[in-house]
Amino acid sequence: MNATTMNLTCQWALDQDSLLTGSRITLKGFRSRRDCDVRLEAIADCIPPAGQNSCTFPRQSLHLYQNMIFQVTVENALGAVESEPLCTDPMDVVKLDPPALWEVQSVPEETDCVSVEWEAATGSVHMELACELRYRPEGEQGWQLVHNITSSSPKAPHCGLFFGTRYQLQMRCQRLPASYWSEWSPTKHFTTHEKAPSGELDAWWRRKPPAGPASRAQEVQLLWKPMKPNEANGKILGYWATLSTRTPGQKRPATLCNTTETHCTFSLTPGALMRIHLVAYNSRGPSQPTLVSLFEKQGPPVPKIRVSPHDRSSFWVSWDPPGAPATGYVIEWHRVTSGDPLGDRDLGWTKLPGGDLTQALIQAENIWPYQPYNISLYPLYKDGVGMPQHVAAYTLQKAPSETPKLQAWSITKTTAELHWEPILVERQNGFITNYTIFWIGTDEDMNSAVVNASEDTFTITGLWPARRYEVHMMASTAGGQTNGTTLMLYTKAMDGTDIPFVYGLTGLLLLMIIVLVICFQKSKRMKTQFWPSVPDPANSSLGRWAPAVLHQENLPPPKACELSPVVVSALLVAEADGKTRLCWGQGEPAQEGCPGSPERDAHDAEAPRPSRGPPAAARRASYMNSAEALQYGLLLGGGGGGGSYCSQRDASPCLVSVRPGSTRPLLGSSLAALSPVLLPPYENLLWPLPPSPQPEGGPARRRRHVQEEEGAAAAALTDFPLLRGVMLDGDEDLSHLRGL
């Protein structure tokens, strides 16, 4: 029942739907006695709108301060059903309007007590009320309740509030004896007065790496927890850190930092006394200083640290106790990001007193799932701080948000080297356990390889040349796997090792083609080089151009010092009897009919020498195999009486040299003196011989004279380079010249 309108509202709930349309719900009321055993008088029924499970009786239908019976009836085509009857006095179910808060003030001044002035709602002035007051610091969730506030005390005192804190206050009331509570009154705001902070700061420090190799100053980061509201006694305006000592002449210690943050960084000279005073201050003054000692000594770390997730925003941290007795521990944690790997901006820490602890629950608002955290544990000793132990952890893990992007660095005929950049730590969503690389070529099966998470390169081997391959990577964590995009690559048809071979083979083929072209152009010369053509003297034209009677040919006299362009390779001696004999040729054995041979000697002994006549067909022989054109000479001797070399009665030339293609005589018409000239190349220097005087006497004396002349000529021939080995017919003493 509303205390202002005095209307009574009943509410009910249907247990089940009748599943029939046309159901009729009716709220009935009856007057009754105190024990509600008899229904004395019925009041007008209340019919609710369709679909509504409540109905209100007006004030005129009610009987106050006596019991009444209320009941709900539901009727449809199949029948009717009634609820259990409810027996109550309408005044016992009255719901008052909320009270009004007028004023809140501190009583007395500079204490933690307040006085709240309030007023009950209209319509409850003559009722006995019971009220409650609740309050909370602004920004917090929980409320503090104050009970036993009655209508006889319009001012409600309360103590235990924080200094300098803004509060929210609300109040509600109910009619006595028990009835429904009113709604909470509108919020009333109140700020308590301030006083100087009363607590101490919880501080921690850590050394930072030096700014550079030449820097001697030590970077120190000082950290502290915000002061608790019950200790702050007001709004903290800032924090002030100073050295605990001051130099002579200074009125106050040197200030290290004065900030509104909960951390600061400063430099200290190595070896300086590292004791710092830290205070918090508000409008009423500073707090008691907190002494922070920066120990140079570093103690032993804990042997091992373990971290396991507790829930989405907390870790369980456990460790083995160190060898030395510890006085406490400090646990640090920070979220690892690519832009801030040290985690200075998101650093959390807590100090745990007691050296017998071996585990702790880390729970903070700055811990999020799927993010990596680096957790460090420092043992505290009486005179120092131990070295930290570090471990990385996740509260929850899932599949990576992305995979590394593959890049092809080096591709050959059968291999492909792949490279990738690691995933950003914010996108990993867990610890990367491994990478799996898949590749498939045209008309090939899928292949794969598992790569360690610490690797960033991989070489695929066993590929086919000149073929297309599709490659993609899968990144895996404990929470799942993610596939990356596909990389298309083509293996080479040849690589660097094949190029020199191809170039060499091509060059060899070109060289062979060039050689063949040259051979075709110079076929005659090449044929001569590989298969030299040795002319056959028997088939030469020497016999055709030789004159019939050489001793009758008028040959011009040779010029002095004329260079002979002819290289004589073989000499033939032809006699007037028509027989031709080879007298000399280098490397040739003595031929039949030559002087000095047995056949020649027998022939000379048996047959007389015929008279001079024209030479018969000359017999030719080769001198040697040579790439040059071979030259041949033919010596013709005129027949004389008694087989003499030259007839003393004939002044015509007795020896001539016939060269191929020329009729110029090699030897002069007179051979009075033969003198060798050893000049390279040899010169055919021939001088005319003076006519030999005819000896007096008979034929025997003349024969001796001829023999003496022939001996002298033979002696001269042995010194002439071009005529060495020439065997003149009729001179048996020159047979040994064939061996020269």
Side-chain angles (χ1 to χ4, degrees):
M1 190 177 71
N2 186 284
T4 302
T5 63
M6 302 302 287
N7 296 329
L8 180 67
T9 301
C10 292
Q11 297 178 348
W12 62 87
L14 296 176
D15 288 342
Q16 60 184 0
D17 191 357
S18 65
L19 302 178
L20 293 177
T21 60
S23 297
R24 186 169 180 266
I25 300 176
T26 305
L27 175 62
K28 298 180 178 296
F30 304 92
R31 289 179 58 193
S32 179
R33 296 177 181 177
R34 181 172 297 274
D35 54 1
C36 293
D37 55 348
V38 178
R39 299 181 180 184
L40 301 177
E41 180 183 356
I43 61 176
D45 293 341
C46 182
I47 307 297
Q52 183 175 318
N53 293 332
S54 66
C55 197
T56 300
F57 288 106
R59 169 68 181 84
Q60 295 80 7
S61 301
L62 300 177
H63 297 272
L64 303 181
Y65 299 106
Q66 62 179 308
N67 289 342
M68 295 188 68
I69 297 175
F70 301 97
Q71 194 173 26
V72 176
T73 301
V74 180
E75 184 179 2
N76 59 20
L78 300 179
V81 64
E82 295 180 344
S83 68
E84 292 291 333
L86 175 62
C87 180
T88 184
D89 183 354
M91 293 302 296
D92 292 340
V93 292
V94 68
K95 183 178 182 179
L96 304 176
D97 290 335
L101 295 177
W102 293 110
E103 186 178 6
V104 180
Q105 59 182 356
S106 297
V107 178
E109 289 290 337
E110 298 184 359
T111 64
D112 59 352
C113 297
V114 295
S115 176
V116 180
E117 185 178 352
W118 62 281
E119 182 181 5
T122 303
S124 60
V125 178
H126 303 289
M127 297 180 184
E128 186 178 358
L129 304 177
C131 300
E132 290 180 345
L133 175 69
R134 70 178 184 178
Y135 63 92
R136 66 181 179 183
E138 194 172 42
E140 293 188 4
Q141 299 297 325
W143 293 88
Q144 299 292 330
L145 286 176
V146 180
H147 303 284
N148 301 325
I149 300 176
T150 62
S151 57
S152 59
S153 56
K155 291 186 178 181
H158 183 68
C159 296
L161 276 71
F162 300 144
F163 291 94
T165 305
R166 183 176 176 84
Y167 283 93
Q168 297 174 342
L169 294 91
Q170 292 177 344
M171 196 172 183
R172 68 178 180 176
C173 297
Q174 68 175 353
R175 177 184 175 270
L176 292 178
S179 67
Y180 291 106
W181 285 100
S182 69
E183 300 294 336
W184 289 101
S185 67
T187 302
K188 182 71 174 180
H189 295 276
F190 174 73
T191 302
T192 59
H193 63 271
E194 295 184 353
K195 74 173 185 178
S198 58
E200 291 187 0
L201 294 171
D202 189 9
W204 168 242
W205 60 273
R206 63 176 184 167
R207 301 181 187 273
K208 300 185 69 176
S215 177
R216 297 186 58 189
Q218 180 68 53
E219 292 287 332
V220 177
Q221 186 179 29
L222 185 63
L223 309 166
W224 57 88
K225 295 287 187 180
M227 188 168 280
K228 298 177 181 179
N230 60 337
E231 297 176 346
N233 298 334
K235 182 180 180 180
I236 299 298
L237 301 178
Y239 301 92
W240 184 27
T242 62
L243 289 175
S244 61
T245 59
R246 58 178 180 265
T247 60
Q250 285 183 331
K251 295 182 179 181
R252 61 179 61 187
T255 299
L256 297 177
C257 60
N258 189 353
T259 179
T260 57
E261 302 290 338
T262 57
H263 59 85
C264 70
T265 303
F266 49 86
S267 299
L268 288 180
T269 304
L273 181 61
M274 296 183 182
R275 292 184 180 273
I276 299 173
H277 282 165
L278 179 65
V279 298
Y281 59 90
N282 59 14
S283 61
R284 293 301 182 98
S287 66
Q288 293 296 322
T290 300
L291 180 62
V292 181
S293 298
L294 309 182
F295 297 105
E296 286 285 352
K297 183 179 179 181
Q298 295 181 341
V302 296
K304 191 175 183 180
I305 180 175
R306 296 169 293 274
V307 176
S308 60
H310 178 255
D311 56 23
R312 294 174 60 91
S313 60
S314 61
F315 297 100
W316 270 112
V317 183
S318 60
W319 60 90
D320 297 334
T327 60
Y329 299 93
V330 172
I331 300 177
E332 284 183 359
W333 64 90
H334 69 268
R335 187 164 61 96
V336 180
T337 61
S338 56
D340 185 21
L342 297 178
D344 293 339
R345 297 183 180 179
D346 200 15
L347 178 67
W349 61 278
T350 184
K351 186 179 290 186
L352 304 174
D356 56 346
L357 295 176
T358 57
Q359 65 177 359
L361 178 63
I362 305 302
Q363 190 172 13
E365 296 180 355
N366 60 349
I367 297 178
W368 303 91
Y370 315 123
Q371 297 297 318
Y373 288 87
N374 188 25
I375 300 175
S376 304
L377 177 65
Y378 296 82
L380 302 179
Y381 300 103
K382 184 178 180 181
D383 56 351
V385 179
M387 296 289 292
Q389 281 278 26
H390 308 281
V391 65
Y394 283 85
T395 57
L396 288 176
Q397 299 187 56
K398 65 179 181 179
S401 301
E402 61 185 28
T403 56
K405 185 177 180 181
L406 289 175
Q407 297 178 356
W409 273 14
S410 177
I411 300 177
T412 64
K413 293 192 306 182
T414 59
T415 63
E417 183 179 355
L418 305 177
H419 174 76
W420 61 89
E421 294 293 336
I423 312 172
L424 296 178
V425 292
E426 297 92 335
R427 309 286 292 172
Q428 292 181 6
N429 301 331
F431 295 111
I432 301 296
T433 56
N434 57 68
Y435 298 109
T436 306
I437 299 177
F438 301 88
W439 67 92
I440 183 172
T442 306
D443 301 330
E444 293 186 22
D445 296 332
M446 177 73 72
N447 295 282
S448 64
V450 179
V451 183
N452 194 291
S454 60
E455 301 292 334
D456 59 359
T457 58
F458 179 75
T459 302
I460 303 176
T461 59
L463 304 180
W464 290 92
R467 185 168 293 185
R468 188 189 72 173
Y469 285 88
E470 299 179 4
V471 184
H472 76 274
M473 172 183 283
M474 181 179 70
S476 304
T477 65
Q481 302 84 25
T482 301
N483 285 318
T485 57
T486 301
L487 172 67
M488 307 295 295
L489 58 88
Y490 296 84
T491 55
K492 296 181 179 179
M494 63 177 63
D495 54 16
T497 59
D498 297 332
I499 292 176
F501 175 75
V502 173
Y503 284 171
L505 183 60
T506 304
L508 182 59
L509 292 176
L510 290 176
L511 181 60
M512 293 176 63
I513 293 173
I514 293 172
V515 170
L516 291 176
V517 171
I518 294 175
C519 290
F520 280 116
Q521 292 180 350
K522 305 294 183 179
S523 58
K524 186 175 182 180
R525 178 176 294 181
M526 295 301 298
K527 183 177 180 180
T528 305
Q529 290 290 336
F530 292 100
W531 300 280
S533 178
V534 179
D536 188 1
N539 299 324
S540 65
S541 59
L542 181 61
R544 295 194 297 271
W545 54 257
V549 183
L550 292 179
H551 64 275
Q552 296 179 356
E553 183 179 3
N554 295 325
L555 300 177
K559 297 180 180 180
C561 300
E562 179 184 4
L563 297 179
S564 175
V566 179
V567 178
V568 179
S569 302
L571 297 177
L572 298 178
V573 177
E575 294 197 39
D577 56 358
K579 295 183 179 180
T580 302
R581 297 173 178 82
L582 177 62
C583 299
W584 176 77
Q586 185 177 348
E588 296 289 342
Q591 301 296 325
E592 181 182 1
C594 290
S597 63
E599 295 82 359
R600 174 64 177 173
D601 295 341
H603 178 73
D604 292 342
E606 295 175 359
R609 297 180 184 265
S611 63
R612 288 186 300 174
R619 186 179 180 183
R620 300 167 177 84
S622 64
Y623 166 60
M624 60 180 298
N625 289 336
S626 172
E628 300 291 337
L630 300 181
Q631 304 294 329
Y632 295 88
L634 179 62
L635 291 181
L636 302 179
S644 63
Y645 179 69
C646 290
S647 174
Q648 284 81 6
R649 297 185 303 270
D650 190 356
S652 63
C654 59
L655 291 178
V656 294
S657 173
V658 180
R659 293 173 292 172
S662 176
T663 57
R664 185 176 178 179
L666 178 62
L667 299 178
S669 59
S670 298
L671 204 59
L674 295 175
S675 176
V677 179
L678 303 177
L679 293 177
Y682 295 117
E683 300 177 0
N684 269 336
L685 302 179
L686 303 178
W687 296 269
L689 298 177
S692 179
Q694 296 296 329
E696 299 179 356
R701 190 171 182 179
R702 286 196 302 268
R703 185 180 292 110
R704 285 194 302 270
H705 179 70
V706 171
Q707 291 177 355
E708 289 176 359
E709 289 181 353
E710 290 176 353
L717 290 175
T718 58
D719 296 332
F720 197 85
L722 298 180
L723 300 179
R724 286 184 180 181
V726 175
M727 187 62 177
L728 298 178
D729 185 62
D731 190 353
E732 303 298 333
D733 296 333
L734 297 178
S735 61
H736 65 279
L737 295 179
R738 289 178 301 174
L740 297 181

